[in-house]
Amino acid sequence: GFSNTVSAFVVNPFIKIENFEFFGNAEQARGRAFSAADPVTRVWTQYAGESLYRIASDQLYVGARYNLAQGTITGYAPMVQVERIQAGGGWFLTSNVLMKAEYVRQNYMNFPANDIRAGGTFNGAMIEGVVSF
C-alpha cells in the first residue's frame, strides 16, 4: 500500500561452513499511500532465516526456514503480523532436476475482523519437482 514517500533497506547475510548454509534477510520499508486517507508514515519489517545442511556430495539436503513480516495497514492502528515456518528436504536427481518435500505453517495475526486475512492460517505438506536450465 505504499505509493508515496517510500524508503527501504535490506540486509542479506550468507554463511557457508562446510555442508552447512545459513541465509538471512532483514528489511524495513517506510512510506505512506498517496491518498489523504493515509496521512501517516507506516513501517513494515520482515525477518527471515533459512538453514540448509547438504549431504551425499550435495545430492541431498534438509533445511528449515522462518519468516516474519509485521507492520501497520492503512486505517488500522495495531500492528499486524504474518508468520511462516517451513521444514523439508530435497534430492537432486540430476544436476538440474530437483525433487523436494516441505511442511509449511503460515499464520495471519492481529488483522481487523473485516479483513479476509483475519485469523487466516495455512498448514500443509507439499511435494514438488523443479527443472532448471
Side-chain angles (χ1 to χ4, degrees), residues 32-40 74:
R32 64 185 187 89
F34 192 70
S35 71
D38 193 17
V40 178
T74 302

Side-chain angles (χ1 to χ4, degrees), residues 16-80:
K16 182 172 182 171
I17 301 171
E18 295 185 14
N19 294 346
F20 175 78
E21 297 176 9
F22 173 80
F23 175 76
N25 182 55
E27 56 187 301
Q28 184 180 79
R30 293 177 179 271
R32 64 185 187 89
F34 192 70
S35 71
D38 193 17
V40 178
T41 298
R42 295 178 292 116
V43 178
W44 270 87
T45 56
Q46 176 174 251
Y47 305 101
E50 178 179 281
S51 296
L52 287 179
Y53 189 76
R54 298 182 184 274
I55 51 180
S57 300
D58 287 349
Q59 285 189 304
L60 301 171
Y61 73 87
V62 293
R65 179 181 305 137
Y66 177 79
N67 188 285
L68 175 67
Q70 57 188 11
T72 54
I73 55 179
T74 302
Y76 188 68
M79 184 180 295
V80 297

